[in-house]
Amino acid sequence: MFNLILFGPPGSGKGTQSEKLIAKYGLNHLSTGDLLRSEIAAKTPLGLEAKNIMDKGQLVPDEVVIGMISSALDANPTAKGFLFDGFPRTGAQAQALDNLLELKEASINVMLALDVSEKELVKRLLKRGETSGRSDDTNEHVIRARITEYHNKTAIVAEYYRQFNKVVLIKGEGSVDDIFAALSKEIDERNKE
Ligand code: ADP
């Protein structure tokens, strides 16, 4: 299995690049944001609880997202590998992910971390809000809250993987194709069967 974490703040391009990477490498895309939005669309109790938190730009509880990831891993026993997008977002989530993968005799091969300035993030998210239908993208106050959550709770996840030498920083500004090429190069160097 080849397991990759695509990391970076909200608006850094994880979703865009994930679509291209799963197509190229045949990985299974696990986006906790997408999974949560499906729960909201289906009006499940979990979705209703998550919506209030997401609309404030805060993180939903660890046990909720860890449970979703655990189910998704179990539901795909023959996957070639997973691309984790928007997860893990806290130290506890990172620990839990390592434990879940270990049960499957697997691990994270690499974390590719997209680096984008805060000014550019806000600009991109407001632009996305014009068409995405995502209420958390239309309000600059909520966007800033998400970026603050990222700095306070999520940035340390990179430290967790850095201790195992698994983090590669990728410039996340420039053309989509150039960023995709830079990500692909790092994967190709590590994904030699
Ligand atoms: P973005 O990274 O652009 O903010 P996401 O779709 O990844 O978009 O996440 C949207 C929201 O979903 C987050 O602001 C948060 O409330 C919630 N969320 C997504 N993934 C997680 C996670 N791993 N842990 C906690 N909350 C999450």
Side-chain angles (χ1 to χ4, degrees):
M1 269 219 274
F2 186 84
N3 296 306
L4 157 75
I5 298 172
L6 192 58
F7 190 73
S12 56
K14 300 185 297 288
T16 304
Q17 296 295 336
S18 290
E19 293 304 325
K20 295 170 74 71
L21 291 169
I22 55 165
K24 178 165 181 180
Y25 295 101
L27 300 172
N28 206 298
H29 186 196
L30 289 186
S31 157
T32 40
D34 288 351
L35 291 170
L36 289 165
R37 281 185 289 276
S38 303
E39 296 281 342
I40 292 172
K43 298 196 164 63
T44 64
L46 189 158
L48 294 175
E49 185 199 334
K51 185 173 187 329
N52 287 323
I53 301 170
M54 291 166 74
D55 281 346
K56 285 189 238 156
Q58 296 167 356
L59 295 183
V60 307
D62 285 335
E63 53 275 20
V64 172
V65 284
I66 292 166
M68 291 193 319
I69 290 289
S70 174
S71 307
L73 291 177
D74 287 342
N76 293 284
T78 59
K80 269 173 69 178
F82 293 91
L83 188 166
F84 296 94
D85 162 7
F87 181 91
R89 251 173 156 103
T90 64
Q93 292 177 24
Q95 287 278 0
L97 178 59
D98 273 1
N99 294 340
L100 289 169
L101 289 175
E102 205 174 304
L103 292 173
K104 302 189 186 305
E105 289 170 11
S107 61
I108 291 298
N109 296 76
V110 68
M111 166 184 272
L112 300 177
L114 292 168
D115 188 26
V116 178
S117 74
E118 179 155 341
K119 190 165 161 244
E120 173 74 12
L121 295 175
V122 175
K123 196 175 104 190
R124 286 186 190 178
L125 290 167
L126 284 170
K127 177 125 191 64
R128 183 167 83 185
E130 291 169 10
T131 53
S132 68
R134 278 180 57 171
S135 49
D136 61 346
D137 283 345
T138 45
N139 178 325
E140 184 161 344
H141 179 76
V142 175
I143 289 173
R144 299 251 177 223
R146 283 152 65 199
I147 295 172
T148 301
E149 284 281 78
Y150 174 81
H151 288 304
N152 289 344
K153 297 182 182 158
T154 304
I156 55 149
V157 175
E159 300 308 317
Y160 175 83
Y161 289 101
R162 199 164 281 132
Q163 64 177 322
F164 308 114
N165 257 327
K166 290 184 175 176
V167 183
V168 182
L169 196 66
I170 303 279
K171 190 163 152 269
E173 296 186 38
S175 78
V176 169
D177 287 345
D178 286 349
I179 298 164
F180 180 59
L183 293 167
S184 297
K185 178 169 165 283
E186 296 299 333
I187 295 172
D188 291 339
E189 277 172 15
R190 290 168 177 78
N191 189 21
K192 295 186 184 110
E193 270 134 333

